[in-house]
Structures are given as structure tokens and as C-alpha cells.
Amino acid sequence: VQLQASGGGLVQAGGSLRLSCAASGRSLRNHIMAWFRQAPGKEREFVASIRWNGGNTNYRDSMRGRFTISRDIAKNTIYLQMDSLKPEDTAAYYCAATTRAISSTLGFPSSYDYWGQGTLVTVSS
């Protein structure tokens, strides 16, 4: 699976951005798709995930209610709608895919086999 992330940019605190991740190379059936982020000097952290079959979602607690993950099956694309952005949301955002994660391992980068190149989100105060 090849993943291409886009949509990052500079936004003021309180603003919104929508990230996209287009997948190609194979069917996403049975995959779990996710967004992670990594701020400078920090570890990569889980943001949200969505099961391609059925659309079940999971969120990092601190982002629940502000971020929304979704998918467009026809376009083989996932999205991350980010609202009420804060300066601490500044990071490189990565999309990822896996077929082998289970509920208890969704949040671990090591559970994912395929990664996009990252898109930078900068939130100014």
C-alpha cells in the first residue's frame, strides 16, 4: 500500500484544517487506517484510527471531540478533520495502514506496516 498525505499548513489557533491520505496499490479491505503525529523532539503518538470495513473509529482521548477521522471508499482516501486547533497540535501528521492491529494495539506505531510521508501542521498562537 502506498500512502500519500496532504493538507497540512499554517493556521491560527482556533482554526481548522482537513488532512487527506490517498491510498493506492491494493485494496484497503480488512485494513485499519490511522493518523499519528510527531512534534519536534517528541515520540510519534496516535491520533485516530478507522476500520475500512465498517468504519469503526478510535481516538486519542485528548483529541476526541476536536478531531474527526473519516473515509471515502470510492476515493480510497481517509481524512482527518481538525477543529479548534491549538499550538500544541503543531506536528508532522502521518497516515498509516495495517491489517494486523487489534483493539489493544491500535495506538502503537509498531503495529502499522505502511506509512505516508507526513504533512506538517503548524498552529500559531
Side-chain angles (χ1 to χ4, degrees):
V1 178
Q2 289 81 49
L3 302 175
Q4 180 74 37
S6 62
L10 175 64
V11 63
Q12 287 189 331
S16 298
L17 277 177
R18 189 177 81 154
L19 306 182
S20 301
C21 177
S24 61
R26 61 185 293 178
S27 169
L28 293 179
R29 195 169 142 226
N30 299 322
H31 282 72
I32 297 169
M33 308 293 294
W35 288 98
F36 285 77
R37 70 183 187 184
Q38 189 166 18
K42 295 190 176 181
E43 293 187 353
R44 193 165 295 193
E45 66 178 12
F46 174 78
V47 175
S49 67
I50 186 166
R51 292 185 183 272
W52 198 256
N53 302 357
N56 291 350
T57 59
N58 282 278
Y59 293 91
R60 189 178 191 86
D61 286 345
S62 60
M63 295 160 197
R64 195 182 302 273
R66 293 194 302 125
F67 291 7
T68 304
I69 189 170
S70 62
R71 76 200 192 299
D72 186 325
I73 295 175
K75 295 183 177 180
N76 241 28
T77 298
I78 65 168
Y79 302 97
L80 184 69
Q81 177 66 40
M82 304 186 295
D83 299 318
S84 303
L85 282 162
K86 306 174 183 179
E88 51 264 43
D89 294 319
T90 295
Y93 284 71
Y94 298 88
C95 55
T98 183
T99 57
R100 57 186 177 87
I102 58 176
S103 295
S104 60
T105 64
L106 286 173
F108 297 99
S110 59
S111 297
Y112 293 79
D113 298 311
Y114 307 100
W115 291 87
Q117 83 288 6
T119 185
L120 183 61
V121 172
T122 304
V123 184
S124 64
S125 56

